[in-house]
Amino acid sequence: MLLGRLREYHRFLFEAGTDEAGRGCLAGPVTAAAVILPPGFTSTLLNDSKALSAEQRFRVGREIEALALDFGIVHIEPEKIDEINILNASILGMHRALEKLQVAPRHILVDGNRFKPYAGFSHECIVKGDGKYMSIAAASVLAKNSRDRIMEALHEEFPMYNWRQNKGYPTEEHRAAIRKYGLTRYHRKSFKIRSEQLSLEL
């Protein structure tokens, strides 16, 4: 998607976009962010975090943090992911990120197709919303930047897994390191890509 096609939504004043990073990883937290952008916000660089280089994400992340009306970032640790599954942990993270906002959102835009109602506010789920709406893209960038910093720090403790590069995702190198060295306290012990992981308890 061309960067210029990212749209403002603003059906409601103080609309919050929310997204997560690290859902498909074998290690580390799932990180969620919520962002309220000011009306009229523009950026020549903002896009879905997966479409940006690390340097671009860092630059636009600083821009978002400086200009956003409000933002919140939350990490849900592997123990909690193992307890409630990755989908529910992702939604919990988004709820907690919304709770950190000092500006109360009037409406919530959620990346993806599953969410639980939050605090009585209206919400919309938008598949691939991080490539469509600026507030969701902004949340995507902040979540990715924050989680990457955590994984780079954890790499110093366990360099054999090369989390500095793979950020905990299931690369062949990461899987080979798990076979050789076993699991750490930062690995998701119950994490498997299977249908049970996509259940949502309402």
Side-chain angles (χ1 to χ4, degrees), residues 34-190:
V35 180
I36 299 178
L37 294 174
F41 177 87
T42 60
S43 173
T44 58
L45 193 58
L46 180 59
N47 198 4
D48 169 15
S49 65
K50 295 183 290 295
L52 301 175
S53 69
E55 175 60 26
Q56 288 173 325
R57 282 197 308 271
F58 176 75
R59 286 168 50 200
V60 76
R62 292 183 64 181
E63 180 182 20
I64 293 163
E65 291 177 358
L67 298 177
L69 294 179
D70 206 354
F71 66 91
I73 303 171
V74 169
H75 308 285
I76 304 298
E77 299 301 328
E79 295 84 356
K80 192 64 176 180
I81 296 171
D82 290 340
E83 177 186 344
I84 64 175
N85 87 31
I86 187 59
L87 176 58
N88 286 299
S90 298
I91 293 173
L92 175 64
M94 288 188 278
H95 280 202
R96 289 184 177 173
L98 289 162
E99 288 172 2
K100 294 188 72 172
L101 298 176
Q102 299 298 307
V103 177
R106 296 292 182 266
H107 186 63
I108 302 165
L109 296 179
V110 183
D111 183 59
N113 62 1
R114 306 294 292 275
F115 193 65
K116 297 179 182 180
Y118 170 75
F121 297 116
S122 60
H123 73 269
E124 294 177 56
C125 294
I126 302 168
V127 176
K128 298 184 179 179
D130 48 5
K132 297 175 182 177
Y133 295 108
M134 287 194 291
S135 62
I136 301 178
S140 171
V141 166
L142 294 191
K144 175 66 172 169
N145 285 351
S146 184
R147 187 180 186 280
D148 280 2
R149 286 192 290 269
I150 287 178
M151 297 310 296
E152 288 162 7
L154 295 182
H155 170 86
E156 300 303 317
E157 187 175 354
F158 292 99
M160 68 283 287
Y161 299 97
N162 200 17
W163 291 334
R164 180 169 54 198
Q165 181 174 341
N166 63 53
K167 304 302 190 290
Y169 281 91
T171 63
E172 181 52 41
E173 176 188 37
H174 189 187
R175 291 185 183 277
I178 291 172
R179 288 192 294 268
K180 182 175 181 179
Y181 300 106
L183 299 176
T184 71
R185 62 182 177 275
Y186 301 116
H187 281 97
R188 303 171 187 180
K189 306 301 189 296
S190 64

